[in-house]
Amino acid sequence: MNSKPVNRQQAGFTLIELLVVLVILGLLVSIVAPNVMSRLGGAKLKTARMQVEDLGAALELYYLDLGRYPSTEQGLVALIEKPPDVSKWSGPYLKKSQIPKDPWGNEYQYRSPGEHGAFDLLSLGKDDAEGGEGENADIRSWE
């Protein structure tokens, strides 16, 4: 039979070589991952600020048409659906057909009249609780 002898020294990687590569990859991930995650958190904060500003602008358009802001009971839904007791509504005041959630999947908090202005609009951050720092910080329309 014509079979070639297999040179076992060139057949593939050794277990030691594979382990060294895995250790190097693990070190790279442990160095890079925290930097990427912190940037992602910063991007979510910026997105929440922009959404609060956009919702605030839509509330101002609502005010121009009706001379008042939606009540707390009507909520932000009044920006996309005509409230039953309103006659001069010219909405929808948002491009999308639903109220966006904050980047962490939580509802924006809305009060009118507000404690800090005609209305208060805020995201409670990642922890969905008042106060906090970093990603847990509140993003508010009055700051």
Side-chain angles (χ1 to χ4, degrees), residues 52-63 69-70 79 93-94:
V52 166
E53 288 177 15
D54 289 345
L55 289 169
L59 287 164
E60 294 299 333
L61 290 173
Y62 184 98
Y63 180 84
Y69 294 102
L79 298 174
Y93 298 93
L94 294 174

Side-chain angles (χ1 to χ4, degrees), residues 5 22 24 38 41 53 79 92 102 106 119:
L22 288 174
I24 291 170
S38 69
E53 288 177 15
L79 298 174
D102 73 9
N106 303 315
F119 64 86

Side-chain angles (χ1 to χ4, degrees), residues 32-86:
V32 171
N35 290 332
V36 170
M37 296 308 286
S38 69
R39 301 253 178 176
L40 180 61
K44 287 185 175 185
L45 287 171
K46 288 179 184 175
T47 300
R49 282 189 192 103
M50 288 183 355
Q51 285 180 330
V52 166
E53 288 177 15
D54 289 345
L55 289 169
L59 287 164
E60 294 299 333
L61 290 173
Y62 184 98
Y63 180 84
L64 288 173
D65 282 349
L66 283 92
R68 63 177 178 84
Y69 294 102
S71 67
T72 302
E73 293 76 27
Q74 291 170 329
L76 296 173
V77 175
L79 298 174
I80 56 172
E81 295 176 8
K82 183 179 184 275
D85 59 340
V86 172

Side-chain angles (χ1 to χ4, degrees), residues 20 34 82 108 120 125:
V20 167
K82 183 179 184 275
Y108 282 99
D120 292 349

